[in-house]
Amino acid sequence: MMNEQRRIEILLRRHWRSTIDQDILLSDTYEIEESIISYTVDDDGKDYLIDCDITTKSYHYTMQVKIDMETLDMYECIYGH
């Protein structure tokens, strides 16, 4: 499960970075292989605060991410059930 979470983290990071480079980051639903990720984006002026609801064929969990708006570094990732 941990490897799957890391893989999704990496793929989401690439997706979000690409989206930010082309436009602005908005709430959306994103499908990666056999996973469906619904996420909401809040902007607090310094960070993007992203709440994700992730469903794979094996399990369902949540993840909260913080991305620095200047550097685009993801510096916090908290998993829930």
Side-chain angles (χ1 to χ4, degrees), residues 9 16 27 32 34 68 80:
E9 254 182 63
W16 291 330
S27 302
I32 303 172
E34 295 184 17
D68 185 286

Side-chain angles (χ1 to χ4, degrees), residues 16 24-29 38-42 49-51:
W16 291 330
I24 60 173
L25 187 59
L26 300 172
S27 302
D28 199 2
T29 298
S38 295
Y39 59 89
T40 56
V41 178
D42 287 321
L49 307 172
I50 306 170
D51 290 308

Side-chain angles (χ1 to χ4, degrees), residues 7-33:
R7 185 182 69 78
I8 288 175
E9 254 182 63
I10 291 167
L11 293 172
L12 279 173
R13 186 177 297 164
R14 285 184 192 154
H15 170 71
W16 291 330
R17 179 61 189 252
S18 173
T19 302
I20 292 168
D21 286 346
Q22 296 174 16
D23 202 6
I24 60 173
L25 187 59
L26 300 172
S27 302
D28 199 2
T29 298
Y30 181 61
E31 292 185 39
I32 303 172
E33 297 164 9

Side-chain angles (χ1 to χ4, degrees), residues 45-74:
K46 179 184 173 226
D47 300 314
Y48 289 112
L49 307 172
I50 306 170
D51 290 308
C52 304
D53 186 60
I54 302 164
T55 303
T56 69
K57 63 181 179 178
S58 304
Y59 47 91
H60 176 247
Y61 62 98
T62 60
M63 177 175 72
Q64 185 178 63
V65 176
K66 289 186 181 180
I67 298 176
D68 185 286
M69 293 177 85
E70 286 185 28
T71 64
L72 301 180
D73 290 332
M74 186 164 78

